[in-house]
Amino acid sequence: MTERETTRLVAWSQELRQVHHRLREALAVTRTALADGTPGEAATRELLLYCHGFCAALDGHHRGEDRTLFPAIEAAHPELRPVLRALEQDHSMIAHLLGGLETAVARAAPPEELDQHLEGIAAIMESHFRYEERQLLTVLETLELTAVPGEVLGPI
């Protein structure tokens, strides 16, 4: 195996860490926008923009994993099937929470309610990311997957 091939293999674990980092940052920016409390319609429009961007990025990340990454891991490591199913269940739960947030933002819910939605998403997302990294980073260092990172790990 050449150094370039080794670098590409290890890059999947690095890509996952970087995507998780960017999603954590996007959530922090969204929460800061809410906490800043710009009054009236301007705050609602700004929060809609932040939430839409964050929700789309997180949902795209999970869809990419479910569609491309997890099947590749399962093919190479069938013993990880229970781990992958648990991660997919997390994806479903997070999608439900994101839907609740989007609904609350669309109806201009009070900041306290929006923050509760973001707090719930943050807790599940962080737990999910830590579990995923503990279970999969080593596997990703040797995973042979020829694909575009944005298609596998989402648009962020």
Side-chain angles (χ1 to χ4, degrees):
M1 183 174 306
T2 68
E3 182 179 341
R4 184 175 175 353
E5 289 171 323
T6 302
T7 300
R8 182 61 242 156
L9 293 175
V10 173
W12 284 112
S13 63
Q14 293 169 355
E15 291 281 347
L16 183 67
R17 279 191 203 126
Q18 289 171 1
V19 167
H20 285 177
H21 176 74
R22 288 191 298 269
L23 286 166
R24 286 176 176 115
E25 286 179 339
L27 179 60
V29 166
T30 302
R31 295 191 81 183
T32 298
L34 177 62
D36 285 348
T38 306
E41 285 185 31
T44 301
R45 280 193 308 273
E46 187 172 300
L47 189 57
L48 269 169
L49 177 64
Y50 283 123
C51 286
H52 178 71
F54 168 72
C55 292
L58 185 57
D59 186 58
H61 169 64
H62 289 157
R63 287 179 188 267
E65 285 181 333
D66 291 347
R67 181 182 56 248
T68 306
L69 185 63
F70 290 176
I73 292 171
E74 188 171 338
H77 298 277
E79 73 278 8
L80 290 175
R81 194 170 287 129
V83 169
L84 299 171
R85 294 303 85 78
L87 291 169
E88 289 168 344
Q89 287 178 340
D90 284 355
H91 291 174
S92 178
M93 182 184 341
I94 291 169
H96 176 73
L97 294 173
L98 290 173
L101 172 62
E102 290 174 333
T103 299
V105 169
R107 67 176 167 74
E112 301 78 28
E113 182 182 337
L114 296 172
D115 191 54
Q116 288 176 343
H117 283 280
L118 291 169
E119 181 70 29
I121 291 166
I124 300 298
M125 185 182 87
E126 189 59 37
S127 171
H128 171 78
F129 285 175
R130 288 180 183 201
Y131 178 71
E132 187 172 61
E133 289 172 4
R134 273 195 320 272
Q135 297 296 318
L136 300 183
L137 284 181
T138 302
V139 168
L140 290 175
E141 290 175 1
T142 60
L143 184 68
E144 295 188 39
L145 176 61
T146 304
V148 176
E151 291 175 9
V152 176
L153 296 175
I156 190 165

